[in-house]
Amino acid sequence: MASRDSNVTSLLDEAPAFTRQRGGGTFIVIKGPDRGEQIALRETAVTFGSSPSCSLVLTDKTVSRQHLEAKREGEAVVLRDLGSTNGTFVQGARFKELTIGYGGEFKLGRTVVKYLPDEEVVEPEESELEAFGSLIGRDIKMRRLFKLLEDVSATDATILIEGETGSGKELIAEEIHNHSPRKGGPFVVFDCGAVPRELIESALFGHMKGSFTGAHTDRKGAFAEANGGTIFLDEIGELALDLQPSLLRVLDKRAVRRVGSNTYDKVDVRVVAATNRDLRSEVQKKQFREDLYYRLAVIRVTLPALRERGGDIPLLVDHFMRLFSGGKQRLQMSPEDMQRLVRHSFPGNVRELRNIIERACVLSKGDFLNLDDALPADAAPALGIRTDLPFKEAKGQLVELFEREYIVDLMRRHKMNLSAAAREAQIDRKHLRELIRKYGLDARGGGGLGDDEA
């Protein structure tokens, strides 16, 4: 798994498809005369103060010469005040020693410092396979995802999966579990948007008998049920802001406290979370805790929407036809119907395609799939225009649809001959090659570009 060391120490404006956090992090001055100054924390302790001997020298006259030390101790980062005159504060409270997490801020003198992870962009190679467990795809985006999943599944790293509804986030979480050393343990799904707000702490962490009205017996929560395995926190972006600190404590302590209990119970779980929201944007809007985001996004993957990998539609259609044809002889789909599916915008993504093919298989009486009755009456127009999206995003999707269909037909007619196709299209060979790779047309095995065509 290749990576590009970008030493990112703040939220990226445009999130790449895959990122991961490296060990340690970076302290950044966000307020005070030295704003913008920063120091990386690795294995060696760093010091803050006005003395030239400090790791981060501050010109703030209210900062002591040797003011503060930060040191990694296992997975924790510990701050120790070195006997400063004016003290060190977190949220207005003075401290001598304190453990800090990513996103945490502290104040020394008139200077405010923030601790952020070093986040690097991961650029996986393309897997040779067109599947990862029950996940299917030959698009470059999917084959890169498969390669990344092969690598991270063997670890215990917390993973955040972002993607639209119906794109397969739960399936990814399940395959991560199935390919991990924890595959013999439980896989527990908890939908953060489906549980009433007043019951969510009990459902997640458990409760003691009599702790609230209706608590007639002790109950284990989802974390305890997942002990030894994996817990999948679906729709994590729906978790109320005031409930997020409780989840953060569990992730930090690896222990849960049942509602009504005064003690913590250790849990051994791997956490995978998913959301259809842009959590970075939610953090910036103060709708999601920054420290919780960083705790979840140790590895962050973005699952592409089906419209972004339209070349996978025939592959998925064939898979679903085999799955749902039942005892019938093998059904077929006309080329015209396949093009209708390719042009469809699929706001419901792979789940929508699966439902369409399942309905079509049930309704079909002859040798061909009955797509007319299976497609929703309000299916998107032929061009696939999404009027439910902002203009710029809808336009971008339409341009991508045009590019894909143009390049697919162009290369098919020229039997994947790059030179001949570039001449007819009157575009640069290098640009055409980039488009070919973008839409997964550098077919493996037969049909690929030969050396004389490259």
Side-chain angles (χ1 to χ4, degrees), residues 286-388:
K286 308 297 184 184
Q287 296 300 310
F288 198 85
R289 287 182 63 108
E290 186 176 23
D291 47 5
L292 179 56
Y293 169 81
Y294 287 128
R295 194 64 184 81
L296 293 169
V298 176
I299 303 288
R300 188 190 62 81
V301 303
T302 301
L303 185 57
L306 183 56
R307 63 180 172 276
E308 296 173 10
R309 55 184 187 106
D312 281 347
I313 289 178
L315 182 69
L316 291 165
V317 166
D318 184 67
H319 170 72
F320 292 139
M321 286 173 63
R322 283 187 277 108
L323 183 64
F324 296 121
S325 58
K328 300 179 181 179
Q329 68 178 60
R330 182 67 180 275
L331 293 170
Q332 303 176 57
M333 177 175 286
S334 68
E336 294 76 19
D337 278 347
M338 184 65 77
Q339 283 304 306
R340 289 174 64 189
L341 290 176
V342 170
R343 288 193 299 267
H344 185 47
S345 60
F346 285 106
N349 290 292
V350 179
R351 183 185 299 147
E352 180 184 355
L353 176 61
R354 176 191 172 103
N355 291 341
I356 288 172
I357 300 303
E358 183 176 12
R359 285 198 302 271
C361 286
V362 170
L363 297 171
S364 296
K365 295 182 174 63
D367 295 336
F368 281 85
L369 213 63
N370 186 350
L371 196 59
D372 287 334
D373 294 332
L375 273 172
D378 59 346
L383 285 176
I385 296 173
R386 296 282 304 278
T387 57
D388 59 325

Side-chain angles (χ1 to χ4, degrees), residues 34-156:
D34 303 292
R35 183 175 179 178
E37 293 295 319
Q38 56 184 279
I39 185 74
L41 177 66
R42 296 290 182 260
E43 300 304 324
T44 306
V46 297
T47 54
F48 303 78
S50 59
S51 169
S53 64
C54 289
S55 308
L56 183 60
V57 180
L58 301 170
T59 61
D60 184 348
K61 296 185 183 301
T62 60
V63 170
S64 297
R65 288 180 60 78
Q66 295 285 339
H67 197 114
L68 180 76
E69 177 190 72
K71 186 178 182 180
R72 290 181 65 189
E73 296 186 0
E75 295 296 318
V77 173
V78 179
L79 305 179
R80 292 187 179 92
D81 187 278
L82 300 176
S84 66
T85 301
N86 293 320
T88 312
F89 298 81
V90 166
Q91 296 180 346
R94 187 168 181 167
F95 69 88
K96 290 292 184 182
E97 183 174 307
L98 184 75
T99 299
I100 194 171
Y102 292 137
E105 299 178 10
F106 56 91
K107 185 177 182 181
L108 52 165
R110 296 190 180 93
T111 297
V112 178
V113 179
K114 190 168 192 171
Y115 181 55
L116 292 173
D118 286 340
E119 191 177 35
E120 61 184 354
V121 177
V122 178
E123 297 177 338
E125 298 175 354
E126 299 162 25
S127 173
E128 297 288 340
L129 305 176
E130 295 182 354
F132 181 75
S134 54
L135 294 164
I136 297 173
R138 62 168 62 106
D139 184 274
I140 291 174
K141 299 184 187 75
M142 294 302 291
R143 287 190 280 119
R144 285 177 176 162
L145 174 62
F146 296 162
K147 181 61 177 174
L148 178 67
L149 295 179
E150 289 174 21
D151 293 338
V152 302
S153 294
T155 74
D156 249 354

Side-chain angles (χ1 to χ4, degrees), residues 188 190 192 204 223 231-236 247 271-274 296:
V188 175
F190 185 88
C192 298
L204 268 176
F223 269 91
I231 185 168
F232 173 51
L233 301 175
D234 198 10
E235 301 304 344
I236 190 68
L247 176 58
V271 178
V272 180
L296 293 169

Side-chain angles (χ1 to χ4, degrees), residues 186-207:
F187 176 73
V188 175
V189 178
F190 185 88
D191 189 337
C192 298
V195 179
R197 185 182 176 283
E198 63 274 11
L199 296 178
I200 199 162
E201 284 191 281
S202 168
L204 268 176
F205 314 131
H207 64 249

